[in-house]
């Protein structure tokens, strides 16, 4: 009929699905086989290596205009991406506190992407699973079932969510309607001088400014000084400011220091302040049978930030925030336009999960966490946390046994701060020497460390939260630190 009337013939409709699934299936099986080999043989590869110039140039090309075979694309990934990782899944990656992923979680990420659900909410299985993972986090930490929570990208966002609720509850005005300018007295939040930098970002993003976060001095073990905190609160009240929130640290990023959470909970209650805990490093110690005592009191928080992609080893990204007052949590974020109203039946008949955070569109983060917990059981994750803490203390004993090495701070949990310290080297040269050791360890693919400053002393920092780490790796680190230190010292540039 179209030809009869001279109408143009319709173009063939397109899709991103392949015309023939058979070669895609074969290539997918090959990818899985390669992935298994990648993790199985991880010790045979360097922890990290510099990306070559030709690979950097590969990533500077312009946007593709026409199709390419999927097999060729995978070859490019295998050649240009997989050999040059950050390295955090390697057993000797201890540079930053990240987590080392797990294969089951990676499969969960794949299946989540295949299903493709948007976790903004609604009535579907992925939303139920998302809520179950949050419920499991409450159970692990000791929060009541009636409390609230949501999965987010990571610890920084989890802290921002928790502190937003704290601000709104303690502001004394409707901040959502009138803004922070309507707050009668400037709010003050309190944390130790070891607090993570994301809390400064939170204060800035919340419109309160960096000065709203008062850093309190710490004791010899770098825990917040509770007496100094109490005095600071009284001083601020006398100055006409409004103390609003105490932030407890359950594992500081520099040294793993854990504040006295019981004392902070008691003080916050006495002063009628919100008690938030940044538990991104150490909260899950609560499930570790030998070390759970270290975070006693964490269950008394009003809000808490967690990171399943650290000691639950979920593939990135997976953060979580818990809030004791579910109504206050939802009240800080919920907006209900007409197109997102609940219905008595059908797809919109369940609650909207985006009412508990900033993202309307939310990825299906929960499946990778859920599958790994189901496979291994939370007791195993607790044992792995105990194992990492024991490894940190074992490394401490190795360092103390070596005359050329110095422990800058005894390990609290699993972060070890030490340095190579030969006799007769001044402070400035000592920093340069240890920095060079750190860089050569990285460049030679031996181990990835970071550095920091503790009590005014520069040092190397080893953060052991990797389920693949073994004691032989730590023994190798000590030997290589000494070898590199001696090599550098023997070179004329360091004499």
């Amino acid at each position: 009929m179209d030809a009869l009337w001279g109408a143009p013939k319709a173009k063939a409709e397109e899709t991103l699905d392949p015309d023939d699934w058979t070669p895609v299936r074969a290539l997918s099986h090959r990818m899985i086989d390669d992935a298994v080999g990648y993790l199985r043989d991880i010790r045979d590869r360097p922890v990290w290596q510099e990306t070559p110039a030709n690979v950097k140039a590969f990533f500077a090309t312009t946007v593709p205009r026409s199709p390419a075979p999927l097999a060729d694309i995978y070859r490019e990934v295998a050649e240009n991406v997989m050999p040059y990782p950050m390295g955090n899944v390697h057993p000797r990656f201890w540079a930053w506190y990240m987590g080392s992923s797990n294969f089951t979680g990676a499969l969960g990420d794949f299946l989540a992407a295949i299903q493709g659900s948007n976790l903004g909410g609604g009535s579907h299985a992925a939303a139920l699973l998302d809520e179950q993972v949050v419920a499991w986090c409450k159970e692990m930490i000791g929060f009541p079932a009636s409390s609230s929570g949501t999965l987010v990208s990571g610890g920084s966002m989890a802290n921002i969510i928790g502190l937003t609720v704290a601000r709104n509850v303690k502001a004394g005005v409707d901040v959502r309607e009138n803004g922070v300018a309507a707050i009668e007295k400037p709010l003050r939040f309190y944390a130790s001088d070891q607090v993570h930098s994301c809390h400064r970002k939170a204060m800035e993003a919340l419109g309160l400014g960096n000065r709203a976060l008062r850093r309190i001095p710490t004791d010899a073990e770098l825990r917040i000084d509770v007496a100094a905190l109490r005095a600071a609160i009284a001083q601020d009240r006398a100055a006409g400011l409004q103390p609003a929130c105490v932030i407890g640290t359950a594992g500081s990023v520099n040294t793993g220091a854990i504040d006295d959470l019981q004392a902070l909970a008691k003080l916050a209650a006495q002063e009628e302040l919100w008690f938030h805990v940044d538990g991104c490093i150490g909260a899950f110690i609560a499930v570790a049978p030998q070390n759970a005592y270290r975070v006693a009191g964490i269950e008394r928080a009003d809000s808490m930030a967690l990171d399943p992609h650290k000691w639950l080893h979920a593939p990135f990204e997976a953060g979580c925030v818990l809030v004791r007052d579910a109504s206050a949590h939802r009240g800080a974020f919920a907006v209900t336009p007409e197109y997102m109203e609940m219905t008595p039946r059908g797809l919109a008949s369940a609650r909207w999960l985006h009412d508990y955070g900033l993202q309307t569109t939310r990825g299906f983060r929960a499946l990778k966490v859920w599958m790994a917990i189901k496979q291994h059981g939370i007791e195993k994750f607790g044992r792995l946390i105990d194992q990492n803490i024991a490894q940190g203390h074992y490394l401490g004993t190795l360092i103390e046994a070596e005359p050329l090495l110095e422990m800058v701070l005894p390990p609290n949990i699993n972060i070890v701060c030490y340095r190579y310290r030969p006799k007769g080297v001044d402070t400035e040269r000592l920093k340069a020497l240890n920095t060079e050791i750190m860089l050569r360890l990285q460049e030679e693919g031996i181990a990835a460390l970071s550095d920091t400053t503790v009590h005014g002393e520069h040092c190397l920092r080893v953060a052991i939260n990797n389920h693949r780490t073994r004691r032989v790796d730590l023994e190798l680190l000590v030997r290589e630190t000494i070898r590199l230190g001696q090599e550098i010292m023997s070179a004329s540039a360091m004499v």
Side-chain angles (χ1 to χ4, degrees), residues 448-486:
L449 313 185
S450 63
D451 60 345
T452 190
T453 302
V454 176
H455 292 315
E457 303 288 350
H458 175 266
C459 57
L460 301 176
R461 174 182 170 277
V462 184
I464 309 169
N465 68 316
N466 191 313
H467 62 86
R468 298 184 178 97
T469 296
R470 299 292 177 262
R471 291 192 174 202
V472 293
D473 296 310
L474 305 173
E475 294 162 2
L476 174 67
L477 172 63
V478 169
R479 291 196 304 270
E480 291 298 300
T481 300
I482 294 171
R483 176 185 68 82
L484 289 169
Q486 291 174 332

Side-chain angles (χ1 to χ4, degrees), residues 42-50 83 85-87 90-94 437-449 473 476-477 480 483-484:
I42 195 166
R43 286 180 172 276
D44 299 334
R45 297 195 306 277
V47 178
W48 176 87
Q49 57 183 332
E50 182 69 45
M86 185 177 211
H90 195 284
R92 293 191 299 278
F93 183 94
W94 307 305
I437 291 171
M438 176 186 71
L439 295 176
R440 293 195 188 187
L441 285 168
Q442 294 173 6
E443 291 167 340
E444 294 183 21
I446 298 166
L449 313 185
D473 296 310
L476 174 67
L477 172 63
E480 291 298 300
R483 176 185 68 82
L484 289 169

Side-chain angles (χ1 to χ4, degrees), residues 5 24 35 70-71 83 142 190 197 213 233 308 313 346 362 415 442 459:
W5 291 100
V24 174
L70 182 57
Y190 304 88
S197 59
L213 180 60
I233 293 169
H313 303 291
R362 299 171 69 249
I415 297 178
Q442 294 173 6
C459 57

Side-chain angles (χ1 to χ4, degrees), residues 170-175 178-187 239-242:
K170 295 298 181 179
V173 298
D174 186 346
V175 176
N178 300 304
V180 293
I183 299 175
E184 184 177 342
K185 296 180 180 179
L187 300 181
L241 305 175
Q242 178 60 52

Side-chain angles (χ1 to χ4, degrees), residues 163-486:
L163 295 176
T164 299
V165 182
R167 179 201 65 181
N168 290 10
V169 169
K170 295 298 181 179
V173 298
D174 186 346
V175 176
R176 295 191 67 186
E177 185 65 26
N178 300 304
V180 293
I183 299 175
E184 184 177 342
K185 296 180 180 179
L187 300 181
R188 284 294 178 267
F189 290 61
Y190 304 88
S192 84
D193 56 19
Q194 300 296 301
V195 72
H196 192 278
S197 59
C198 72
H199 294 278
R200 171 177 179 155
K201 289 187 179 183
M203 293 298 102
E204 294 170 356
L206 293 176
L208 301 175
N210 181 44
R211 290 186 180 181
L213 180 60
R214 183 162 181 176
R215 282 80 166 176
I216 305 300
T218 48
D219 61 18
E221 296 182 20
L222 298 177
R223 301 171 303 184
I224 193 168
D225 184 328
V226 178
L229 170 60
R230 190 184 299 275
I233 293 169
Q235 182 184 50
D236 283 345
R237 279 209 172 99
L241 305 175
Q242 178 60 52
C245 175
V246 172
I247 303 170
T249 298
S252 67
V253 69
N254 269 1
T255 67
I258 299 174
D259 291 336
D260 186 340
L261 302 177
Q262 296 276 34
L264 292 183
K266 181 179 179 181
L267 175 60
Q270 291 171 343
E271 298 286 349
E272 298 184 340
L273 305 183
W274 188 274
F275 180 34
H276 176 79
V277 172
D278 181 348
C280 294
I281 284 180
F284 285 114
I285 295 176
V287 303
Q290 297 174 16
N291 289 279
Y293 71 91
R294 297 177 184 273
V295 293
I298 198 169
E299 73 285 351
R300 298 173 63 183
D302 292 302
S303 58
M304 184 187 318
L306 312 167
D307 255 352
H309 63 215
K310 289 190 172 75
W311 250 334
L312 294 188
H313 303 291
F316 298 132
E317 306 164 335
C320 180
V321 59
L322 303 178
V323 181
R324 183 173 300 276
D325 185 339
S327 177
H329 185 190
R330 187 179 185 278
F333 299 101
V335 176
T336 310
E338 182 181 2
Y339 52 83
M340 289 192 174
E341 291 177 352
M342 289 183 66
T343 57
R345 303 191 315 278
L347 183 57
S349 61
R351 66 176 181 159
W352 293 104
L353 300 182
H354 64 70
D355 280 344
Y356 297 86
L358 294 169
Q359 290 181 266
T360 302
T361 299
R362 299 171 69 249
F364 190 6
R365 295 186 178 98
L367 187 58
K368 57 193 171 189
V369 182
W370 188 89
M371 285 180 64
I373 292 176
K374 290 280 283 189
Q375 179 190 15
H376 297 291
I378 203 60
E379 291 181 359
K380 184 169 185 177
F381 284 100
R383 294 195 301 271
L384 287 170
I385 293 170
D386 281 337
Q387 177 174 286
N388 281 161
I389 293 174
Q391 288 168 338
H393 287 261
Y394 176 67
L395 176 58
T397 64
L398 296 177
I399 291 167
E400 289 174 338
E402 292 290 346
L404 287 169
L405 301 181
E406 178 186 50
M407 186 78 72
V408 176
L409 186 75
N412 171 27
I413 46 174
N414 58 326
I415 297 178
V416 181
C417 297
Y418 78 103
R419 60 185 173 183
Y420 181 79
R421 187 171 189 179
K423 294 180 180 179
V425 179
D426 62 33
T427 300
E428 183 177 345
R429 293 173 65 207
L430 198 62
K431 180 176 181 178
L433 170 60
N434 279 274
T435 300
E436 183 65 17
I437 291 171
M438 176 186 71
L439 295 176
R440 293 195 188 187
L441 285 168
Q442 294 173 6
E443 291 167 340
E444 294 183 21
I446 298 166
L449 313 185
S450 63
D451 60 345
T452 190
T453 302
V454 176
H455 292 315
E457 303 288 350
H458 175 266
C459 57
L460 301 176
R461 174 182 170 277
V462 184
I464 309 169
N465 68 316
N466 191 313
H467 62 86
R468 298 184 178 97
T469 296
R470 299 292 177 262
R471 291 192 174 202
V472 293
D473 296 310
L474 305 173
E475 294 162 2
L476 174 67
L477 172 63
V478 169
R479 291 196 304 270
E480 291 298 300
T481 300
I482 294 171
R483 176 185 68 82
L484 289 169
Q486 291 174 332

Side-chain angles (χ1 to χ4, degrees), residues 54-77:
N54 65 306
V55 175
K56 291 180 179 179
F58 171 81
F59 293 111
T61 54
T62 58
V63 63
R65 298 282 179 182
S66 55
L70 182 57
D72 291 350
I73 297 167
Y74 175 58
R75 176 183 51 78
E76 291 177 335
V77 171

